[in-house]
Amino acid sequence: MSNPSVLCLGEVLFDCLANQLGLKLEEVKSWTPYPGGAPANVACALVKLGTSAGFIGAVGVDEPGNTLVTLLADVGVDITGVQRHSTAPTRQVYVVRDLAGDRSFAGFGKYDTSEFADTRLQAAQLLPTLFDEADFLVVGTLELAYPESEKAVLRALELAEQYDLKIILDVNWRPVFWQDENTAKTKILALLKRFDFLKLTKEEAQWLFETTDPGAITYRLNSLEGVLVTDGENGCAYCLGENEGKLPAFAMSVVDTTGAGDSFLAGFIHQLQQVGIHSLKDGEIAKKIVTYASAVGALTTIKPGAIASQPTAGEVDAFLASHQLEFRE
């Protein structure tokens, strides 16, 4: 696949999910590895919805790395931007789950967080040709925690600005990846004016801005075209093109929440590609876009794993129709 319209830069990894619910890390008896990593999740979800996407990131020259690259290619994600590191291993994250299926990160096994291949993403190897034809760049914050990958993020932002891409930040802040919380906050805040859209959880909004109001965040930065604040089963709030609103979450029989926020973001970007950013000025269209994104996120929670559980566009349409919500693209 050539010239993907959305580039997703960051990590692809294995989430090793605890098979036993409600146990601490040391109590878990067995784990099941699921492909994941927020930017990779977004890329896969976009392709399944019908929007072309490419992944930019680094993995090891090892069996997990081979498996993940093959998976991305099989899904239909453009892997031109994937780099391989000869000695650093592909990241694996251990995830424990509570009795409700909600997950929390529990560590990296025998490695330190700074030893994985995704921290070695090279700025000099980013391909300008990928950016030339794209419309969106999606980045997270994990790569800002490490010197080499931080340089790659900054180079990607330069290329996105050079080729006039819309840049979306999915904060996706995880303390376990950072040495120091204050360093993380300082680095993220310093870059915010370079983004066009911001997606963050309620906790992340409170942490960064001391408010969970997307309108207040938008007006404070004065450079954003949209802010999405998600709150799991409590739904989400948004400010898009000066249209503000809140939507409840769809009631689901949740199996695993891993990747639901990534699917939500993919649903949002997919709809932006369908209707155009200018449509956000229409309050009803903005609400429909967020409703669609919420449906994509909700459907991802009914099966285990972040990528395997992602819905197709047809499944989303059927789900919305069953809730008497008609959505025409």
Side-chain angles (χ1 to χ4, degrees):
M1 186 178 70
S2 60
N3 302 332
S5 59
V6 183
L7 301 176
C8 301
L9 184 149
E11 66 280 2
V12 63
L13 49 79
F14 275 107
D15 284 316
C16 299
L17 266 61
N19 291 331
Q20 297 81 36
L21 301 184
L23 298 182
K24 297 177 182 177
L25 173 66
E26 59 273 12
E27 298 171 338
V28 176
K29 296 179 177 61
S30 60
W31 309 81
T32 299
Y34 290 98
N41 293 344
V42 174
C44 289
L46 279 164
V47 170
K48 292 182 183 184
L49 293 172
T51 291
S52 61
F55 175 74
I56 300 172
V59 295
V61 181
D62 51 22
E63 194 55 42
N66 294 340
T67 301
L68 290 169
V69 173
T70 299
L71 169 73
L72 291 171
D74 288 347
V75 169
V77 174
D78 186 296
I79 57 171
T80 309
V82 174
Q83 301 176 17
R84 305 298 293 264
H85 195 277
S86 60
T87 58
T90 301
R91 188 181 293 271
Q92 297 190 67
V93 180
Y94 290 88
V95 181
V96 294
R97 294 185 287 166
D98 65 20
L99 293 174
D102 287 327
R103 78 277 188 272
S104 57
F105 293 94
F108 303 102
K110 63 182 180 179
Y111 294 103
D112 181 79
T113 181
S114 63
E115 296 182 82
F116 292 101
D118 55 69
T119 72
R120 310 291 205 272
L121 185 66
Q122 298 297 303
Q125 293 181 34
L126 297 183
L127 300 172
T129 50
L130 274 177
F131 290 78
D132 188 19
E133 296 294 327
D135 299 313
F136 292 92
L137 171 67
V138 181
V139 298
T141 63
L142 187 158
E143 281 65 39
L144 297 175
Y146 314 100
E148 290 177 89
S149 53
E150 181 182 24
K151 290 177 183 176
V153 171
L154 296 177
R155 175 60 178 153
L157 294 179
E158 289 178 1
L159 287 167
E161 290 161 354
Q162 178 183 338
Y163 290 103
D164 201 27
L165 278 65
K166 293 296 183 182
I167 309 174
I168 301 172
L169 175 67
D170 177 8
V171 173
N172 199 38
W173 182 66
R174 300 285 185 263
V176 71
F177 293 105
W178 292 79
Q179 298 293 327
D180 175 64
E181 177 178 331
N182 290 329
T183 300
K185 190 171 184 179
T186 300
K187 286 188 175 185
I188 295 167
L189 289 173
L191 290 175
L192 286 179
K193 290 193 177 297
R194 301 182 71 173
F195 301 105
D196 300 292
F197 292 91
L198 182 61
K199 181 257 175 189
L200 66 175
T201 65
K202 184 178 180 180
E203 293 78 13
E204 290 165 347
Q206 189 65 46
W207 176 61
L208 284 173
F209 302 105
E210 297 182 351
T211 179
T212 60
D213 182 341
I217 296 169
T218 302
Y219 303 137
R220 186 182 303 180
L221 290 174
N222 199 32
S223 57
L224 292 168
E225 297 181 50
V227 174
L228 301 160
V229 178
T230 59
D231 189 21
E233 63 183 14
N234 298 311
C236 64
Y238 62 90
C239 181
L240 299 169
E242 298 188 358
N243 294 299
E244 296 184 51
K246 292 184 177 181
L247 288 176
F250 291 100
M252 310 295 289
S253 297
V254 173
V255 173
D256 176 23
T257 59
T258 306
D262 305 325
S263 291
F264 172 94
L265 181 58
F268 173 73
I269 298 169
H270 173 66
Q271 286 302 319
L272 282 188
Q273 279 290 81
Q274 298 291 322
V275 303
I277 290 176
H278 64 279
S279 299
L280 294 176
K281 296 176 182 177
D282 184 314
E284 281 304 306
I285 293 179
K287 182 179 180 181
K288 282 186 174 182
I289 289 174
V290 180
T291 300
Y292 187 96
S294 298
V296 181
L299 286 168
T300 302
T301 68
I302 60 177
K303 301 174 189 173
I307 294 174
S309 58
Q310 293 166 341
T312 63
E315 289 169 335
V316 179
D317 291 340
F319 177 79
L320 289 170
S322 72
H323 286 74
Q324 298 181 322
L325 294 166
E326 187 175 352
F327 197 97
R328 300 242 178 250
E329 294 181 354

